[in-house]
């Protein structure tokens, strides 16, 4: 290591050979250990997407960039299954959630929050920060909301302007019944349905226009197969009407400003150029493959994972509507230890959050994850559970998964 002294001379600082060796060894480990991202974000990014993002940075006001953004705007409509403009922000998904609240509601308005996990809680936190009153519909973790309950609450309080919900509640692995919820809000002219699909969009069907979802929020680092850093929001005409009346403060996440700029193939501020290049590549692939094939792929992996867990004597944590993008499992031993031991093998799954911490673990199967990644994870899990004292016959989970994989045609 070198350093410049106060006398402006260059000094060579010597570490002991031992500490140098330690530093070197740690570095090598990080580089050599393949990281299998089986977490519900971030998820793996395909080499061709990485290469697209490694292209030279171009100026965000250049005609070349505007052409890319034009293509991306079209392809996003395909992914969201909407005719509406999909707004693109340089943020993680929470940024678009915040924008959804700040742009459609006004101070003193009431929102109905479906709170069935960690991300449902986030809607309440956001509303509270912005002075929006919350009617909280608490759903036991591991369960899906009953649409009739939402309908009843809306009947009892017609002043509710928005229903805020997750498509896939990532902390519990439950898919809330978005289509049925949209059927409840579509007939109520003063109420919009806002869906956080950060871990769901591109993972399983959520056709925005066909189902009448009013505001759909997504993030780049899950089923969209990109690194973290982009957030998206699309609004129905009904949501844009509410947006006109909204008086909450907003600046970067000003949806109307973003819409105006995107119409000119621009963003109001510096565009995340490299991420948009990756997005163009990914969306092109999604279009070529077709959403149906991608959904079928995730479903196949999901069925195989769930069958493997059950064959290993484990129970799913998601009691209703277990989602196709994620499997949440009741852990027979400390779930945090399962996660930690698997990490030593390079396999990254997620533990439980808040009240589920230590009680569950979660395996994602969305985006650029294949059968080899999945079988490796199941095999690793069998080993780790045995190591932690829970007896699993080696291969029993793998066998169950393979049976499903051989029955369900590869897509
Ligand atoms: C359903 C859901 N909502 C919101 C978020 C928060 O997204 P971000 O961390 O990208 O801000 C996540 C992230 O895991 C999520 O899964």
């Amino acid at each position: 290591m070198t350093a410049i002294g106060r006398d402006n001379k260059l000094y060579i600082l010597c570490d002991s050979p031992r500490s140098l060796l330690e530093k070197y060894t740690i570095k090598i480990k990080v580089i050599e250990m393949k990281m299998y991202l089986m977490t519900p974000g971030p998820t793996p990014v395909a080499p061709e997407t990485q290469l697209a993002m490694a292209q030279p940075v171009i100026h965000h006001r250049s005609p070349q960039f505007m052409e890319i953004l034009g293509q991306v705007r079209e392809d996003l409509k395909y992914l969201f299954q909407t005719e509406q403009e999909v707004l693109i922000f340089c943020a993680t998904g929470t940024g678009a959630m915040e924008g959804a609240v700040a742009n459609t509601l006004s101070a003193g308005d009431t929102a109905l929050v479906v709170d069935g996990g960690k991300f449902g809680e986030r809607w309440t936190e956001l509303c509270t920060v912005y002075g929006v009153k919350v009617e909280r519909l608490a759903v036991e973790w591991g369960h899906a909301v009953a649409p009739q309950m939402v309908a009843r609450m809306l009947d009892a309080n017609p002043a509710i302007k928005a229903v805020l919900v997750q498509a896939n509640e990532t902390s519990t692995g439950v898919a809330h019944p978005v289509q049925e919820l949209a059927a409840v809000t579509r007939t109520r002219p003063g109420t919009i349905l806002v869906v956080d699909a950060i871990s769901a969009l591109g993972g399983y069907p959520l056709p925005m226009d066909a189902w009448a979802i009013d505001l759909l929020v997504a993030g780049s680092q899950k089923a969209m197969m990109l690194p973290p850093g982009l957030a998206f929001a699309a609004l129905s005409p009904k949501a844009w009407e509410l947006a006109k009346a909204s008086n909450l403060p907003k600046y970067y996440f000003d949806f109307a400003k973003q819409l105006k700029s995107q119409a000119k193939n621009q963003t109001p501020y510096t565009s995340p150029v490299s991420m948009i290049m990756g997005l163009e590549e990914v969306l092109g692939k999604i279009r070529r493959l077709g959403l149906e094939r991608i959904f079928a792929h995730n479903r196949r992996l999901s069925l195989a994972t769930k069958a493997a867990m059950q064959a290993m004597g484990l129970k799913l944590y998601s009691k209703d509507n277990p989602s196709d993008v994620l499997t949440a499992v009741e852990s027979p031993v400390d779930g945090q230890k399962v996660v930690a031991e698997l990490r030593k093998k390079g396999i990254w799954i997620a533990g439980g959050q808040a009240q589920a911490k230590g009680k569950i673990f979660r395996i994602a199967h969305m985006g650029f994850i294949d059968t080899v990644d999945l079988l490796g994870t199941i095999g690793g899990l069998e080993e780790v559970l045995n190591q932690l004292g829970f007896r699993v016959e080696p291969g029993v989970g793998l066998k169950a998964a393979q049976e499903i994989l051989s029955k369900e045609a590869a897509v």
Side-chain angles (χ1 to χ4, degrees):
M1 191 198 274
T2 57
I4 309 267
R6 280 204 191 134
D7 53 5
N8 265 345
K9 282 187 187 151
L10 182 69
Y11 288 86
I12 297 178
L13 309 174
C14 277
D15 265 343
S16 71
R18 191 188 162 82
S19 76
L20 271 179
L21 186 71
E22 275 168 7
K23 273 187 205 157
Y24 186 62
T25 317
I26 288 169
K27 217 170 172 184
I28 292 286
K29 262 196 198 157
V30 171
I31 296 165
E32 280 192 345
M33 186 77 146
K34 194 164 169 183
M35 213 184 241
Y36 288 87
L37 289 179
M38 304 296 290
T39 48
T43 60
V45 175
E48 54 276 18
T49 313
Q50 291 172 19
L51 284 175
M53 290 185 295
Q55 295 176 84
V57 172
I58 57 175
H59 199 276
H60 60 288
R61 303 290 180 220
S62 65
Q64 293 90 329
F65 182 74
M66 287 164 71
E67 194 183 324
I68 293 175
L69 198 62
Q71 183 64 51
V72 160
R73 288 174 54 216
E74 274 316 301
D75 290 347
L76 278 171
K77 289 182 185 170
Y78 171 75
L79 175 65
F80 277 65
Q81 296 180 264
T82 185
E83 307 254 289
Q84 304 301 319
E85 182 75 14
V86 180
L87 307 177
I88 309 165
F89 297 98
C90 186
T92 64
T94 306
M97 288 176 77
E98 175 161 354
V101 171
N103 282 272
T104 55
L105 298 170
S106 292
D109 277 355
T110 304
L112 191 168
V113 169
V114 174
D115 182 349
K118 191 75 197 144
F119 297 103
E121 277 171 18
R122 190 160 300 179
W123 281 132
T124 301
E125 287 163 9
L126 280 167
C127 287
T128 309
V129 163
Y130 278 94
V132 170
K133 287 184 248 158
V134 169
E135 286 220 9
R136 181 171 164 267
L137 172 47
V139 177
E140 193 186 339
W141 284 39
H143 292 267
V145 69
Q148 314 83 277
M149 282 298 293
V150 171
R152 238 174 276 154
M153 285 174 78
L154 292 180
D155 288 342
N157 186 354
I160 292 173
K161 288 258 179 72
V163 176
L164 309 179
V165 68
Q166 271 58 44
N168 172 57
E169 175 46 81
T170 319
S171 60
T172 64
V174 168
H176 286 302
V178 172
Q179 186 174 12
E180 288 81 351
L181 292 172
V184 171
T185 48
R186 91 187 298 165
T187 53
R188 292 170 162 83
T191 311
I192 56 166
L193 177 67
V194 181
V195 178
D196 160 7
I198 291 170
S199 62
L201 193 85
Y204 58 83
L206 282 171
M208 177 171 163
D209 290 357
W211 286 2
I213 298 168
D214 292 301
L215 209 168
L216 195 56
V217 169
S220 54
Q221 77 275 25
K222 299 175 197 263
M224 287 182 73
M225 301 179 277
L226 283 167
L230 292 179
F232 307 90
L235 284 75
S236 71
K238 193 172 159 191
W240 278 117
E241 273 309 306
L242 265 190
K244 276 192 211 148
S246 159
N247 66 8
L248 292 178
K250 45 214 161 251
Y251 193 87
Y252 179 79
F253 294 107
D254 184 328
F255 284 5
K257 193 162 55 182
Q258 187 76 24
L259 180 72
K260 206 166 149 204
S261 190
Q262 283 191 201
K264 295 180 271 176
N265 284 337
Q266 304 252 316
T267 56
Y269 313 106
T270 311
S271 314
V273 171
S274 304
M275 284 290 290
I276 300 284
M277 286 174 170
L279 179 61
E280 185 195 25
E281 196 282 328
V282 147
L283 291 173
K285 185 160 52 193
I286 292 175
R287 263 197 122 137
R288 279 194 304 280
L289 286 169
L291 281 175
E292 290 312 316
R293 264 178 88 187
I294 294 174
F295 297 156
H297 170 74
N298 291 342
R299 181 154 187 78
R300 180 171 178 256
L301 296 188
S302 172
L303 290 172
T305 312
K306 289 169 176 67
M309 297 304 121
Q310 279 155 348
M312 287 158 76
L314 304 173
K315 285 201 187 106
L316 298 188
Y317 183 64
S318 327
K319 302 302 172 205
D320 322 313
N321 294 3
S323 121
D324 275 352
V325 290
L326 174 73
T327 298
V329 184
E330 290 178 8
S331 185
V333 293
D334 183 348
Q336 295 302 101
K337 285 197 183 147
V338 176
V339 173
E341 287 306 312
L342 273 173
R343 280 185 190 178
K344 291 184 190 160
K345 298 177 186 295
I347 301 167
W348 285 64
I349 63 167
Q353 296 168 287
Q355 57 170 272
K357 194 166 183 161
K359 296 191 185 136
I360 68 168
F361 53 81
R362 296 169 296 147
I363 303 171
H365 28 72
M366 60 176 117
F368 190 58
I369 286 177
D370 62 19
T371 49
V372 177
D373 299 321
L374 189 69
L375 293 173
T377 303
I378 295 168
L381 185 62
E382 289 181 352
E383 240 177 272
V384 161
L385 287 176
N386 274 312
Q387 199 180 309
L388 293 172
F390 179 75
R391 274 294 302 145
V392 175
E393 192 192 323
V396 74
L398 285 169
K399 184 166 177 272
Q402 280 169 311
E403 270 168 19
I404 297 281
L405 294 173
S406 60
K407 257 192 268 158
E408 299 275 324
V411 280

